[in-house]
Amino acid sequence: MKKLESRVIELNSKKYGNIVPIRAIPGHFVTSHSHINYFIDVTLLKSNQIDAANCAHALAHQYTSMDPIDTIICLDGTGIIGAFLSQELQAQYSNAEKKKIYVICPECANNGQMFFRHNVEPMVHGKNVILLLATVTTGISIRRGMECMDYYGGNLKGVFTIFSAIDEIGSTAINTIFTKEDIPGYASYLRRDCPFCKNKAPIEALVNSYGYSQL
């Protein structure tokens, strides 16, 4: 089987142009929650200094609340983007509003539940929080993050991601650089509804926000 990299296409955001081109691979892929027809590879955007800074710049300008952020909670290995995002937000505040912004990552139990150690809890409790993810397909990871915020007493002020296939979770809007409209024909299916499976097409890789494992 050919390596998936041979099929990589680079796409620009309709909203932000070529500030951070995204890499997409067409095929039959499985996430922990769904089957998808494109693997969205954001590895370089999370790992490269310039790309991460550009992502943060684009996301920061989507935060329109008057409430200064205290904490950025980073999922999916988005810590570098989170650090740049904290700098971008600081630059928007007046001198009276400037303060330290915590950039933290939750731990995850075997069942996927997120949690924080006791010494990290004060960085969440009573704080204005942004939840930062790499990619969103079904929104399950966001819901878990929101449940975590409720449990630890954080005030969720925004959800930010590089790519999202959905626009909102409940009444919470998702601020994103790329949407499914930027990926021609992008689709996500429940296992029972997957047209690839119905046509006996083999699964090509198991994928998540960190990468893929080709089968």
Side-chain angles (χ1 to χ4, degrees), residues 8-29:
V8 168
I9 56 177
E10 288 198 356
L11 299 166
N12 296 321
S13 167
K14 292 179 180 179
K15 187 174 183 180
Y16 293 100
N18 62 356
I19 184 173
V20 279
I22 203 169
R23 290 159 52 92
I25 303 174
H28 182 197
F29 307 112

mmCIF file with all atom_site columns, all heavy atoms in Angstrom, residues 8-29:
data_model
loop_
_atom_site.group_PDB
_atom_site.id
_atom_site.type_symbol
_atom_site.label_atom_id
_atom_site.label_alt_id
_atom_site.label_comp_id
_atom_site.label_asym_id
_atom_site.label_entity_id
_atom_site.label_seq_id
_atom_site.pdbx_PDB_ins_code
_atom_site.Cartn_x
_atom_site.Cartn_y
_atom_site.Cartn_z
_atom_site.occupancy
_atom_site.B_iso_or_equiv
_atom_site.pdbx_formal_charge
_atom_site.auth_seq_id
_atom_site.auth_comp_id
_atom_site.auth_asym_id
_atom_site.auth_atom_id
_atom_site.pdbx_PDB_model_num
ATOM 1   N N   . VAL A 1 8  ? -1.160  13.739 -0.254 1.00 0.00 ? 8  VAL A N   1
ATOM 2   C CA  . VAL A 1 8  ? -1.350  14.988 0.487  1.00 0.00 ? 8  VAL A CA  1
ATOM 3   C C   . VAL A 1 8  ? -1.695  16.137 -0.450 1.00 0.00 ? 8  VAL A C   1
ATOM 4   O O   . VAL A 1 8  ? -1.074  16.320 -1.505 1.00 0.00 ? 8  VAL A O   1
ATOM 5   C CB  . VAL A 1 8  ? -0.077  15.343 1.287  1.00 0.00 ? 8  VAL A CB  1
ATOM 6   C CG1 . VAL A 1 8  ? -0.151  16.772 1.809  1.00 0.00 ? 8  VAL A CG1 1
ATOM 7   C CG2 . VAL A 1 8  ? 0.096   14.390 2.454  1.00 0.00 ? 8  VAL A CG2 1
ATOM 8   N N   . ILE A 1 9  ? -2.708  16.902 -0.047 1.00 0.00 ? 9  ILE A N   1
ATOM 9   C CA  . ILE A 1 9  ? -3.012  18.152 -0.741 1.00 0.00 ? 9  ILE A CA  1
ATOM 10  C C   . ILE A 1 9  ? -2.982  19.276 0.287  1.00 0.00 ? 9  ILE A C   1
ATOM 11  O O   . ILE A 1 9  ? -3.324  19.065 1.448  1.00 0.00 ? 9  ILE A O   1
ATOM 12  C CB  . ILE A 1 9  ? -4.378  18.104 -1.451 1.00 0.00 ? 9  ILE A CB  1
ATOM 13  C CG1 . ILE A 1 9  ? -5.500  17.742 -0.462 1.00 0.00 ? 9  ILE A CG1 1
ATOM 14  C CG2 . ILE A 1 9  ? -4.358  17.126 -2.602 1.00 0.00 ? 9  ILE A CG2 1
ATOM 15  C CD1 . ILE A 1 9  ? -6.884  17.755 -1.080 1.00 0.00 ? 9  ILE A CD1 1
ATOM 16  N N   . GLU A 1 10 ? -2.526  20.436 -0.127 1.00 0.00 ? 10 GLU A N   1
ATOM 17  C CA  . GLU A 1 10 ? -2.494  21.593 0.750  1.00 0.00 ? 10 GLU A CA  1
ATOM 18  C C   . GLU A 1 10 ? -3.624  22.539 0.383  1.00 0.00 ? 10 GLU A C   1
ATOM 19  O O   . GLU A 1 10 ? -3.828  22.848 -0.789 1.00 0.00 ? 10 GLU A O   1
ATOM 20  C CB  . GLU A 1 10 ? -1.142  22.312 0.668  1.00 0.00 ? 10 GLU A CB  1
ATOM 21  C CG  . GLU A 1 10 ? -0.007  21.546 1.328  1.00 0.00 ? 10 GLU A CG  1
ATOM 22  C CD  . GLU A 1 10 ? 1.189   22.433 1.614  1.00 0.00 ? 10 GLU A CD  1
ATOM 23  O OE1 . GLU A 1 10 ? 1.155   23.629 1.231  1.00 0.00 ? 10 GLU A OE1 1
ATOM 24  O OE2 . GLU A 1 10 ? 2.150   21.938 2.219  1.00 0.00 ? 10 GLU A OE2 1
ATOM 25  N N   . LEU A 1 11 ? -4.341  22.979 1.408  1.00 0.00 ? 11 LEU A N   1
ATOM 26  C CA  . LEU A 1 11 ? -5.496  23.839 1.198  1.00 0.00 ? 11 LEU A CA  1
ATOM 27  C C   . LEU A 1 11 ? -5.391  25.079 2.071  1.00 0.00 ? 11 LEU A C   1
ATOM 28  O O   . LEU A 1 11 ? -4.877  25.007 3.187  1.00 0.00 ? 11 LEU A O   1
ATOM 29  C CB  . LEU A 1 11 ? -6.787  23.076 1.536  1.00 0.00 ? 11 LEU A CB  1
ATOM 30  C CG  . LEU A 1 11 ? -7.063  21.819 0.703  1.00 0.00 ? 11 LEU A CG  1
ATOM 31  C CD1 . LEU A 1 11 ? -8.159  20.999 1.349  1.00 0.00 ? 11 LEU A CD1 1
ATOM 32  C CD2 . LEU A 1 11 ? -7.445  22.207 -0.717 1.00 0.00 ? 11 LEU A CD2 1
ATOM 33  N N   . ASN A 1 12 ? -5.866  26.190 1.568  1.00 0.00 ? 12 ASN A N   1
ATOM 34  C CA  . ASN A 1 12 ? -5.861  27.441 2.320  1.00 0.00 ? 12 ASN A CA  1
ATOM 35  C C   . ASN A 1 12 ? -7.240  27.709 2.909  1.00 0.00 ? 12 ASN A C   1
ATOM 36  O O   . ASN A 1 12 ? -8.258  27.227 2.416  1.00 0.00 ? 12 ASN A O   1
ATOM 37  C CB  . ASN A 1 12 ? -5.457  28.613 1.421  1.00 0.00 ? 12 ASN A CB  1
ATOM 38  C CG  . ASN A 1 12 ? -4.042  28.481 0.915  1.00 0.00 ? 12 ASN A CG  1
ATOM 39  O OD1 . ASN A 1 12 ? -3.160  28.044 1.641  1.00 0.00 ? 12 ASN A OD1 1
ATOM 40  N ND2 . ASN A 1 12 ? -3.824  28.849 -0.341 1.00 0.00 ? 12 ASN A ND2 1
ATOM 41  N N   . SER A 1 13 ? -7.253  28.487 3.972  1.00 0.00 ? 13 SER A N   1
ATOM 42  C CA  . SER A 1 13 ? -8.508  28.878 4.609  1.00 0.00 ? 13 SER A CA  1
ATOM 43  C C   . SER A 1 13 ? -9.194  29.950 3.768  1.00 0.00 ? 13 SER A C   1
ATOM 44  O O   . SER A 1 13 ? -8.557  30.917 3.344  1.00 0.00 ? 13 SER A O   1
ATOM 45  C CB  . SER A 1 13 ? -8.234  29.418 6.018  1.00 0.00 ? 13 SER A CB  1
ATOM 46  O OG  . SER A 1 13 ? -9.364  30.061 6.543  1.00 0.00 ? 13 SER A OG  1
ATOM 47  N N   . LYS A 1 14 ? -10.489 29.787 3.529  1.00 0.00 ? 14 LYS A N   1
ATOM 48  C CA  . LYS A 1 14 ? -11.236 30.811 2.797  1.00 0.00 ? 14 LYS A CA  1
ATOM 49  C C   . LYS A 1 14 ? -11.266 32.118 3.577  1.00 0.00 ? 14 LYS A C   1
ATOM 50  O O   . LYS A 1 14 ? -11.345 33.196 2.989  1.00 0.00 ? 14 LYS A O   1
ATOM 51  C CB  . LYS A 1 14 ? -12.657 30.315 2.524  1.00 0.00 ? 14 LYS A CB  1
ATOM 52  C CG  . LYS A 1 14 ? -12.727 29.155 1.541  1.00 0.00 ? 14 LYS A CG  1
ATOM 53  C CD  . LYS A 1 14 ? -14.158 28.690 1.324  1.00 0.00 ? 14 LYS A CD  1
ATOM 54  C CE  . LYS A 1 14 ? -14.208 27.534 0.341  1.00 0.00 ? 14 LYS A CE  1
ATOM 55  N NZ  . LYS A 1 14 ? -15.594 27.040 0.140  1.00 0.00 ? 14 LYS A NZ  1
ATOM 56  N N   . LYS A 1 15 ? -11.180 32.012 4.891  1.00 0.00 ? 15 LYS A N   1
ATOM 57  C CA  . LYS A 1 15 ? -11.256 33.199 5.745  1.00 0.00 ? 15 LYS A CA  1
ATOM 58  C C   . LYS A 1 15 ? -9.898  33.860 5.923  1.00 0.00 ? 15 LYS A C   1
ATOM 59  O O   . LYS A 1 15 ? -9.796  35.077 5.969  1.00 0.00 ? 15 LYS A O   1
ATOM 60  C CB  . LYS A 1 15 ? -11.830 32.818 7.100  1.00 0.00 ? 15 LYS A CB  1
ATOM 61  C CG  . LYS A 1 15 ? -12.107 33.992 8.023  1.00 0.00 ? 15 LYS A CG  1
ATOM 62  C CD  . LYS A 1 15 ? -12.808 33.529 9.289  1.00 0.00 ? 15 LYS A CD  1
ATOM 63  C CE  . LYS A 1 15 ? -13.152 34.700 10.192 1.00 0.00 ? 15 LYS A CE  1
ATOM 64  N NZ  . LYS A 1 15 ? -13.840 34.260 11.434 1.00 0.00 ? 15 LYS A NZ  1
ATOM 65  N N   . TYR A 1 16 ? -8.828  33.046 6.019  1.00 0.00 ? 16 TYR A N   1
ATOM 66  C CA  . TYR A 1 16 ? -7.506  33.593 6.340  1.00 0.00 ? 16 TYR A CA  1
ATOM 67  C C   . TYR A 1 16 ? -6.488  33.436 5.210  1.00 0.00 ? 16 TYR A C   1
ATOM 68  O O   . TYR A 1 16 ? -5.317  33.759 5.396  1.00 0.00 ? 16 TYR A O   1
ATOM 69  C CB  . TYR A 1 16 ? -6.966  32.923 7.603  1.00 0.00 ? 16 TYR A CB  1
ATOM 70  C CG  . TYR A 1 16 ? -7.768  33.280 8.829  1.00 0.00 ? 16 TYR A CG  1
ATOM 71  C CD1 . TYR A 1 16 ? -8.723  32.406 9.333  1.00 0.00 ? 16 TYR A CD1 1
ATOM 72  C CD2 . TYR A 1 16 ? -7.597  34.493 9.476  1.00 0.00 ? 16 TYR A CD2 1
ATOM 73  C CE1 . TYR A 1 16 ? -9.471  32.731 10.453 1.00 0.00 ? 16 TYR A CE1 1
ATOM 74  C CE2 . TYR A 1 16 ? -8.338  34.829 10.591 1.00 0.00 ? 16 TYR A CE2 1
ATOM 75  C CZ  . TYR A 1 16 ? -9.274  33.947 11.072 1.00 0.00 ? 16 TYR A CZ  1
ATOM 76  O OH  . TYR A 1 16 ? -10.014 34.272 12.165 1.00 0.00 ? 16 TYR A OH  1
ATOM 77  N N   . GLY A 1 17 ? -6.914  32.927 4.067  1.00 0.00 ? 17 GLY A N   1
ATOM 78  C CA  . GLY A 1 17 ? -5.988  32.787 2.954  1.00 0.00 ? 17 GLY A CA  1
ATOM 79  C C   . GLY A 1 17 ? -4.903  31.769 3.235  1.00 0.00 ? 17 GLY A C   1
ATOM 80  O O   . GLY A 1 17 ? -5.146  30.720 3.819  1.00 0.00 ? 17 GLY A O   1
ATOM 81  N N   . ASN A 1 18 ? -3.666  32.115 2.846  1.00 0.00 ? 18 ASN A N   1
ATOM 82  C CA  . ASN A 1 18 ? -2.563  31.151 2.976  1.00 0.00 ? 18 ASN A CA  1
ATOM 83  C C   . ASN A 1 18 ? -1.731  31.385 4.232  1.00 0.00 ? 18 ASN A C   1
ATOM 84  O O   . ASN A 1 18 ? -0.574  31.004 4.300  1.00 0.00 ? 18 ASN A O   1
ATOM 85  C CB  . ASN A 1 18 ? -1.660  31.214 1.745  1.00 0.00 ? 18 ASN A CB  1
ATOM 86  C CG  . ASN A 1 18 ? -1.007  32.573 1.566  1.00 0.00 ? 18 ASN A CG  1
ATOM 87  O OD1 . ASN A 1 18 ? -1.270  33.508 2.323  1.00 0.00 ? 18 ASN A OD1 1
ATOM 88  N ND2 . ASN A 1 18 ? -0.168  32.698 0.546  1.00 0.00 ? 18 ASN A ND2 1
ATOM 89  N N   . ILE A 1 19 ? -2.316  32.010 5.268  1.00 0.00 ? 19 ILE A N   1
ATOM 90  C CA  . ILE A 1 19 ? -1.561  32.277 6.489  1.00 0.00 ? 19 ILE A CA  1
ATOM 91  C C   . ILE A 1 19 ? -1.060  30.974 7.120  1.00 0.00 ? 19 ILE A C   1
ATOM 92  O O   . ILE A 1 19 ? 0.048   30.903 7.631  1.00 0.00 ? 19 ILE A O   1
ATOM 93  C CB  . ILE A 1 19 ? -2.404  33.086 7.500  1.00 0.00 ? 19 ILE A CB  1
ATOM 94  C CG1 . ILE A 1 19 ? -1.564  33.436 8.730  1.00 0.00 ? 19 ILE A CG1 1
ATOM 95  C CG2 . ILE A 1 19 ? -3.683  32.367 7.886  1.00 0.00 ? 19 ILE A CG2 1
ATOM 96  C CD1 . ILE A 1 19 ? -2.264  34.382 9.696  1.00 0.00 ? 19 ILE A CD1 1
ATOM 97  N N   . VAL A 1 20 ? -1.875  29.934 7.060  1.00 0.00 ? 20 VAL A N   1
ATOM 98  C CA  . VAL A 1 20 ? -1.478  28.621 7.576  1.00 0.00 ? 20 VAL A CA  1
ATOM 99  C C   . VAL A 1 20 ? -2.129  27.539 6.722  1.00 0.00 ? 20 VAL A C   1
ATOM 100 O O   . VAL A 1 20 ? -3.214  27.058 7.031  1.00 0.00 ? 20 VAL A O   1
ATOM 101 C CB  . VAL A 1 20 ? -1.868  28.434 9.064  1.00 0.00 ? 20 VAL A CB  1
ATOM 102 C CG1 . VAL A 1 20 ? -0.887  29.074 9.994  1.00 0.00 ? 20 VAL A CG1 1
ATOM 103 C CG2 . VAL A 1 20 ? -3.273  28.955 9.346  1.00 0.00 ? 20 VAL A CG2 1
ATOM 104 N N   . PRO A 1 21 ? -1.506  27.135 5.620  1.00 0.00 ? 21 PRO A N   1
ATOM 105 C CA  . PRO A 1 21 ? -2.103  26.091 4.780  1.00 0.00 ? 21 PRO A CA  1
ATOM 106 C C   . PRO A 1 21 ? -2.230  24.779 5.548  1.00 0.00 ? 21 PRO A C   1
ATOM 107 O O   . PRO A 1 21 ? -1.362  24.419 6.341  1.00 0.00 ? 21 PRO A O   1
ATOM 108 C CB  . PRO A 1 21 ? -1.121  25.965 3.611  1.00 0.00 ? 21 PRO A CB  1
ATOM 109 C CG  . PRO A 1 21 ? 0.166   26.506 4.130  1.00 0.00 ? 21 PRO A CG  1
ATOM 110 C CD  . PRO A 1 21 ? -0.204  27.573 5.108  1.00 0.00 ? 21 PRO A CD  1
ATOM 111 N N   . ILE A 1 22 ? -3.332  24.092 5.322  1.00 0.00 ? 22 ILE A N   1
ATOM 112 C CA  . ILE A 1 22 ? -3.594  22.840 6.014  1.00 0.00 ? 22 ILE A CA  1
ATOM 113 C C   . ILE A 1 22 ? -3.318  21.672 5.062  1.00 0.00 ? 22 ILE A C   1
ATOM 114 O O   . ILE A 1 22 ? -3.484  21.798 3.848  1.00 0.00 ? 22 ILE A O   1
ATOM 115 C CB  . ILE A 1 22 ? -5.060  22.802 6.513  1.00 0.00 ? 22 ILE A CB  1
ATOM 116 C CG1 . ILE A 1 22 ? -5.205  21.830 7.682  1.00 0.00 ? 22 ILE A CG1 1
ATOM 117 C CG2 . ILE A 1 22 ? -6.027  22.463 5.394  1.00 0.00 ? 22 ILE A CG2 1
ATOM 118 C CD1 . ILE A 1 22 ? -6.547  21.936 8.380  1.00 0.00 ? 22 ILE A CD1 1
ATOM 119 N N   . ARG A 1 23 ? -2.863  20.554 5.615  1.00 0.00 ? 23 ARG A N   1
ATOM 120 C CA  . ARG A 1 23 ? -2.586  19.353 4.822  1.00 0.00 ? 23 ARG A CA  1
ATOM 121 C C   . ARG A 1 23 ? -3.742  18.372 5.003  1.00 0.00 ? 23 ARG A C   1
ATOM 122 O O   . ARG A 1 23 ? -4.128  18.067 6.127  1.00 0.00 ? 23 ARG A O   1
ATOM 123 C CB  . ARG A 1 23 ? -1.283  18.701 5.284  1.00 0.00 ? 23 ARG A CB  1
ATOM 124 C CG  . ARG A 1 23 ? -0.043  19.503 4.926  1.00 0.00 ? 23 ARG A CG  1
ATOM 125 C CD  . ARG A 1 23 ? 1.152   19.135 5.797  1.00 0.00 ? 23 ARG A CD  1
ATOM 126 N NE  . ARG A 1 23 ? 1.412   17.709 5.831  1.00 0.00 ? 23 ARG A NE  1
ATOM 127 C CZ  . ARG A 1 23 ? 2.238   17.068 4.996  1.00 0.00 ? 23 ARG A CZ  1
ATOM 128 N NH1 . ARG A 1 23 ? 2.871   17.751 4.065  1.00 0.00 ? 23 ARG A NH1 1
ATOM 129 N NH2 . ARG A 1 23 ? 2.430   15.772 5.098  1.00 0.00 ? 23 ARG A NH2 1
ATOM 130 N N   . ALA A 1 24 ? -4.299  17.912 3.891  1.00 0.00 ? 24 ALA A N   1
ATOM 131 C CA  . ALA A 1 24 ? -5.414  16.975 3.947  1.00 0.00 ? 24 ALA A CA  1
ATOM 132 C C   . ALA A 1 24 ? -5.108  15.769 3.065  1.00 0.00 ? 24 ALA A C   1
ATOM 133 O O   . ALA A 1 24 ? -4.508  15.897 1.997  1.00 0.00 ? 24 ALA A O   1
ATOM 134 C CB  . ALA A 1 24 ? -6.702  17.654 3.485  1.00 0.00 ? 24 ALA A CB  1
ATOM 135 N N   . ILE A 1 25 ? -5.523  14.592 3.539  1.00 0.00 ? 25 ILE A N   1
ATOM 136 C CA  . ILE A 1 25 ? -5.310  13.358 2.795  1.00 0.00 ? 25 ILE A CA  1
ATOM 137 C C   . ILE A 1 25 ? -6.668  12.679 2.605  1.00 0.00 ? 25 ILE A C   1
ATOM 138 O O   . ILE A 1 25 ? -7.324  12.331 3.591  1.00 0.00 ? 25 ILE A O   1
ATOM 139 C CB  . ILE A 1 25 ? -4.360  12.402 3.539  1.00 0.00 ? 25 ILE A CB  1
ATOM 140 C CG1 . ILE A 1 25 ? -3.012  13.078 3.812  1.00 0.00 ? 25 ILE A CG1 1
ATOM 141 C CG2 . ILE A 1 25 ? -4.154  11.120 2.734  1.00 0.00 ? 25 ILE A CG2 1
ATOM 142 C CD1 . ILE A 1 25 ? -2.070  12.245 4.665  1.00 0.00 ? 25 ILE A CD1 1
ATOM 143 N N   . PRO A 1 26 ? -7.117  12.486 1.365  1.00 0.00 ? 26 PRO A N   1
ATOM 144 C CA  . PRO A 1 26 ? -8.390  11.798 1.142  1.00 0.00 ? 26 PRO A CA  1
ATOM 145 C C   . PRO A 1 26 ? -8.250  10.292 1.345  1.00 0.00 ? 26 PRO A C   1
ATOM 146 O O   . PRO A 1 26 ? -7.189  9.719  1.117  1.00 0.00 ? 26 PRO A O   1
ATOM 147 C CB  . PRO A 1 26 ? -8.708  12.141 -0.319 1.00 0.00 ? 26 PRO A CB  1
ATOM 148 C CG  . PRO A 1 26 ? -7.364  12.362 -0.955 1.00 0.00 ? 26 PRO A CG  1
ATOM 149 C CD  . PRO A 1 26 ? -6.492  12.962 0.113  1.00 0.00 ? 26 PRO A CD  1
ATOM 150 N N   . GLY A 1 27 ? -9.322  9.664  1.800  1.00 0.00 ? 27 GLY A N   1
ATOM 151 C CA  . GLY A 1 27 ? -9.293  8.227  2.006  1.00 0.00 ? 27 GLY A CA  1
ATOM 152 C C   . GLY A 1 27 ? -10.369 7.777  2.969  1.00 0.00 ? 27 GLY A C   1
ATOM 153 O O   . GLY A 1 27 ? -11.325 8.507  3.254  1.00 0.00 ? 27 GLY A O   1
ATOM 154 N N   . HIS A 1 28 ? -10.206 6.574  3.501  1.00 0.00 ? 28 HIS A N   1
ATOM 155 C CA  . HIS A 1 28 ? -11.151 5.984  4.464  1.00 0.00 ? 28 HIS A CA  1
ATOM 156 C C   . HIS A 1 28 ? -10.435 5.827  5.794  1.00 0.00 ? 28 HIS A C   1
ATOM 157 O O   . HIS A 1 28 ? -9.561  4.981  5.949  1.00 0.00 ? 28 HIS A O   1
ATOM 158 C CB  . HIS A 1 28 ? -11.625 4.614  3.944  1.00 0.00 ? 28 HIS A CB  1
ATOM 159 C CG  . HIS A 1 28 ? -12.622 3.949  4.842  1.00 0.00 ? 28 HIS A CG  1
ATOM 160 N ND1 . HIS A 1 28 ? -12.912 2.601  4.746  1.00 0.00 ? 28 HIS A ND1 1
ATOM 161 C CD2 . HIS A 1 28 ? -13.400 4.427  5.854  1.00 0.00 ? 28 HIS A CD2 1
ATOM 162 C CE1 . HIS A 1 28 ? -13.819 2.288  5.656  1.00 0.00 ? 28 HIS A CE1 1
ATOM 163 N NE2 . HIS A 1 28 ? -14.132 3.368  6.336  1.00 0.00 ? 28 HIS A NE2 1
ATOM 164 N N   . PHE A 1 29 ? -10.808 6.680  6.753  1.00 0.00 ? 29 PHE A N   1
ATOM 165 C CA  . PHE A 1 29 ? -10.097 6.730  8.023  1.00 0.00 ? 29 PHE A CA  1
ATOM 166 C C   . PHE A 1 29 ? -11.072 6.594  9.189  1.00 0.00 ? 29 PHE A C   1
ATOM 167 O O   . PHE A 1 29 ? -12.258 6.913  9.072  1.00 0.00 ? 29 PHE A O   1
ATOM 168 C CB  . PHE A 1 29 ? -9.326  8.043  8.152  1.00 0.00 ? 29 PHE A CB  1
ATOM 169 C CG  . PHE A 1 29 ? -8.430  8.323  6.977  1.00 0.00 ? 29 PHE A CG  1
ATOM 170 C CD1 . PHE A 1 29 ? -8.703  9.365  6.105  1.00 0.00 ? 29 PHE A CD1 1
ATOM 171 C CD2 . PHE A 1 29 ? -7.311  7.539  6.734  1.00 0.00 ? 29 PHE A CD2 1
ATOM 172 C CE1 . PHE A 1 29 ? -7.883  9.621  5.021  1.00 0.00 ? 29 PHE A CE1 1
ATOM 173 C CE2 . PHE A 1 29 ? -6.479  7.780  5.652  1.00 0.00 ? 29 PHE A CE2 1
ATOM 174 C CZ  . PHE A 1 29 ? -6.771  8.827  4.793  1.00 0.00 ? 29 PHE A CZ  1
#
